[in-house]
Amino acid sequence: MTQTLSRSAQILRELIRCPSVTPHEGGALGYLEKELTALGFHVERMTFSDENTPDVENLYARIGDSAPHIMFAGHTDVVPIGNAGDWSSEAFSGDVKDGVMLGRGAVDMKGGIACFLSAVEAHLSSNELKGSISFLITGDEEGPSINGTDKLLKWAAEKGETWDACIVGEPSNPKQIGDVIKNGRRGSLSGRVTVKGVQGHAAYPHLSDNPVRGMADLLNALLETPFDEGTEMFQPTNLEVTSVDVGNQATNVIAAKATAIFNIRFNDLWTGDAVKQEINRRFQEGAKRDIIRKGKDTAVNFEIEWIGRVSPVFLTKDDTLIGTLSEAIKQVTGKTPELSTGGGTSDARFIKDYCPVVEFGLVGQTMHQVDERTPLSDVDKLTAVYEKFLQNYF
Ligand SMILES: [Zn+2]
């Protein structure tokens, strides 16, 4: 049985057929350039480079030259398919079975791009555009995210681009289209703590200083007390120690040092600096426990090293953006979406410095999995939501 595909499903299939595993463009941006140019967009493609990371292609396209200016942001790159034999049909085929389209990127997030493009097409064919629409599409979201959205925004802002609102088409919905608009994220910070001891014979502990004991005190002090109870819009802050390492193979040797790495996801009660201070305070307190317990005269000797940048917490409160999108969702699906700040980071963390941003896309259940897929009914529903949003926004 052959099924007639809607316009958005056709676009999605074309995109899935481009094998754009980060950092490869795979033809996906070329395809979008062709479609957007045909619609009257001014399309620019740029490749960004940096040290120790592959070059990545990106795309920025705009139609209209007046306000309000709505940006749609997303990525055409996808994660690898894993073992090809585990897929029930070819991962870059876009095959449809029982009304479901299968393929890497179907929901994360070629689906969101296909739906928004198709919604814009429909909007432009029956309305005169009363503002501007742009697409900011990167090929570096699933990779290091160094040569993507961050640089693309700086590049566009430098040539004078400003935006009034942005929708990121990441798969925000847990079960059904209309469940959740994501309007913020907790902050994130990673660090490494090293405890220095003195190597020695396990039978002669007085001649050495075991860093594992000090590490245990430090980690206990770090983890004992919750950072907070959560806030109105955010989950509680949580810190996870993700690895503890001594690297010692011998049972009778006390090692010279121990290290641990950790990641903290913090809510709007904290800034990156405040989190660093609190972690440091907890380690200082833990480092003194051995003095109190055993009358030792020195505290545990430790060092903290922060890994990567702080990703700050953000919350979008813009009533026009959230109100217009919620209303469109309600009109199409009958559901009132919940606002959520849950989940991991996305490129919205960069966009929030330029304009109000929310995430709304397909249902995320199969993202990054074997047999990533979306029902075609979801694709059509999301397209209808985006189209309604454009109508109500302008
Ligand atoms: Zn994604």
Side-chain angles (χ1 to χ4, degrees), residues 26-195:
L29 294 177
Y31 170 75
L32 288 180
E33 178 176 13
K34 181 173 67 85
E35 295 296 327
L36 287 165
T37 306
L39 276 177
F41 276 79
H42 175 65
V43 183
E44 288 167 277
R45 301 263 302 270
M46 63 290 302
T47 301
F48 294 124
S49 317
D50 215 312
E51 278 172 37
N52 305 321
T53 172
D55 290 1
V56 182
E57 289 190 52
N58 299 274
L59 177 150
Y60 182 72
R62 175 173 178 163
I63 190 167
D65 45 24
S66 61
H69 183 182
I70 181 90
M71 181 212 300
F72 176 84
H75 61 91
T76 47
D77 62 323
V78 294
V79 295
I81 61 167
N83 183 2
D86 293 344
W87 287 69
S88 46
S89 67
E90 211 268 301
F92 296 111
S93 65
D95 281 354
V96 174
K97 208 179 154 196
D98 301 327
V100 175
M101 188 178 286
L102 182 136
R104 175 56 84 227
V107 295
D108 186 11
M109 57 157 277
K110 290 174 169 174
I113 296 174
C115 294
F116 202 84
L117 177 55
S118 156
V120 168
E121 249 177 40
H123 184 77
L124 294 177
S125 71
S126 49
N127 299 271
E128 199 186 317
L129 182 60
K130 295 196 200 90
S132 306
I133 302 171
S134 58
F135 282 80
L136 187 131
I137 307 291
T138 180
D140 190 22
E141 201 274 344
E142 304 286 9
S145 299
I146 290 170
N147 290 319
T149 300
D150 194 15
K151 287 188 177 169
L152 200 49
L153 285 162
K154 280 185 190 130
W155 167 88
E158 261 164 35
K159 65 178 198 126
E161 292 289 283
T162 57
W163 305 273
D164 296 290
C166 173
I167 294 179
V168 179
E170 289 282 358
S172 62
N173 290 293
K175 291 205 176 86
Q176 287 182 307
I177 302 289
D179 287 339
V180 165
I181 296 175
K182 287 195 173 166
N183 70 327
R185 287 293 160 94
R186 290 185 297 169
S188 174
L189 170 68
S190 297
R192 176 185 294 113
V193 61
T194 303
V195 173

Side-chain angles (χ1 to χ4, degrees), residues 111-113 115-116 119 169 173 177 332 360-363 377-387:
I113 296 174
C115 294
F116 202 84
N173 290 293
I177 302 289
V332 172
F360 187 74
L362 285 171
V363 173
S377 56
D378 278 8
V379 171
D380 294 342
K381 216 180 262 183
L382 180 62
T383 306
V385 169
Y386 285 156
E387 206 183 323

